[in-house]
Amino acid sequence: MFEGLLHLYPDLASQIDVRFVEFPKPRPEIVELLGEAHQSCPVLILGHSLEKPIDNLRIKTAHNHQFIDDPEQIGNYLSITYGIPRPH
């Protein structure tokens, strides 16, 4: 889903740091940042803390990082933050 989104919006791909990880767990790259309990994919790790909450967006915190690990919520965040259409 997100690979297609990045293909459709190449400017978005240049504005965020996209990293691909292997499917099997453990996923050391994610565990290092969020801990073993939060290694699901996809995950969007925010590079900064949000100054104010975004309505209806569930942002989690682990190891001093804010992140979103629900695909629909990630799509909503990208839409709100980067002005792309909301995913369906």
Side-chain angles (χ1 to χ4, degrees):
M1 176 172 132
F2 291 107
E3 287 182 59
L5 182 75
L6 294 171
H7 180 74
L8 284 173
Y9 301 99
D11 288 343
L12 175 63
S14 69
Q15 295 178 51
I16 60 177
D17 180 11
V18 177
R19 298 179 191 184
F20 295 91
V21 297
E22 295 295 323
F23 183 75
K25 291 181 181 179
R27 298 179 178 127
E29 301 91 340
I30 300 172
V31 170
E32 182 179 328
L33 294 170
L34 303 178
E36 194 170 339
H38 303 289
Q39 58 179 304
S40 64
C41 282
V43 62
L44 177 67
I45 301 172
L46 305 180
H48 62 284
S49 294
L50 294 180
E51 294 180 14
K52 60 181 183 176
I54 299 174
D55 289 341
N56 301 317
L57 200 58
R58 294 182 305 274
I59 296 176
K60 300 177 181 179
T61 302
H63 296 242
N64 295 316
H65 293 284
Q66 288 187 327
F67 67 98
I68 305 168
D69 61 0
D70 174 86
E72 184 177 335
Q73 291 285 302
I74 292 171
N76 289 339
Y77 174 85
L78 294 174
S79 175
I80 292 165
T81 305
Y82 294 98
I84 63 172
R86 287 182 86 158
H88 299 288

